[in-house]
Amino acid sequence: MKLLVTGGAGFIGSNFVRHVARERPDWEIVVYDLLTYAGDARNIEGLEQVRLDQADICDADRLDAAVRLSDAVVHFAAESHNDNSLDSPWPFVQTNLIGTYQVLEAVRRHGVRLHHISTDEVYGDLELDDPAKFTPQTPYNPSSPYSSTKAGSDLLVRAWVRSFEVQATISNCSNNYGPYQHVEKFIPRQITEVLDGRRPKLYGAGQNVRDWIHAEDHSSGVLTILERGQLGETYLIGAEGEQSNKDVVELLLTLMGRDPGDYDHVNDRPGHDLRYAIDASRLRDELGWRPLYQDFERGLAATVEWYRQNESWWRAQKAQTEAKYEVLGR
Ligand code: NAD
Ligand code: TDX
């Protein structure tokens, strides 16, 4: 198998690459990644069967040359941070929509299997007391420039499946955590604030709920769908990990030996989605997938330890990130 992984030097893409390198040691993997501020070649260092092709998915010729030599493409590359999309939406339109269009045209030209990575945010948000969770039948209702461009990318994939018989599957996953996540995101931001002797920053009242899954479980879900998923279908990936932001910050502070009330409330995110929740029963029942990291407190403690041990990995991005948040008052 010759596998092309777009965005494979980012947080989840590199987790997937390390996962596949362990689980399928005879596969050849090319990571096709522009190495934007969010990508880091160190994330995939030292893996024998992995080669990095540093290029843009919007560059049709470069992408075509890479896809032509592949048996399958897993498409992670995206602009991924909601706060950035509210500040500057254009890179999201470019990479998430135009980039996905180029990926689709390349796999169509060469008859290559595609798995498209997406998010639960395409479904909008739920009330705190809504008994329903997102399913593959939930209507799309995205809120932010990030989630609307991801929703648009999913719709392009569906159209290319139906109109051109592209052999594709889609997965929509909930919020990921684990090592190698950029410090702009909620959990690593708070961990590194505490490690720097500062206070975590909770948007608004902190009531918002996210459905947390360890990146390793996302990766095993994607590999399962790539190998055994039904072409043309959408699978939701989640591990029943709903937690309010306030509870996560308090748990982190406790795990790190600080008073659980030792955090600040800062300006809320405009249009802030209230709650996400995933029903992953299709992936569990039809494909037999099971998450391994179901103890959130243990997973979080291990993630704290990783950031404690790997300051050299995050130190350079920390100052830049906090300078951006300073301007936004968050
Ligand atoms: P990330 O921002 O950490 O990584 C994105 C990667 O894509 C980086 O390595 C970056 O260099 C690369 N990239 C960006 N623009 C590119 C371009 N034009 N050409 C080539 N490479 C480019 O993101 P992540 O959190 O790892 O998310 C990966 C994917 O998973 C995204 O599609 C995202 O929408 C999806 N997703 C993320 C989460 C989450 O909780 N983080 C949850 C569900 C789905
Ligand atoms: O400092 C913060 N304080 C805070 O309260 C930050 C950075 C975030 N938050 C809140 C906002 C959200 O309710 O924490 C929650 C999680 O925020 P993010 O880490 O920015 O994630 P979210 O906006 O939920 O989106 C994430 O999950 C779905 C990923 O970034 C997306 O790529 C993915 O699609």
Side-chain angles (χ1 to χ4, degrees), residues 80 82 119 121 146 186 189 201 203 210 245 269 272:
S80 69
N82 273 300
T119 169
E121 297 192 20
Y146 164 67
F186 177 54
R189 183 180 188 207
K201 314 277 185 297
Y203 291 175
R210 295 295 182 264
N245 294 341
R269 171 185 286 172
H272 195 174

Side-chain angles (χ1 to χ4, degrees), residues 77 117 127 278 307:
I117 302 293
E127 292 301 325
I278 286 271
Y307 282 89

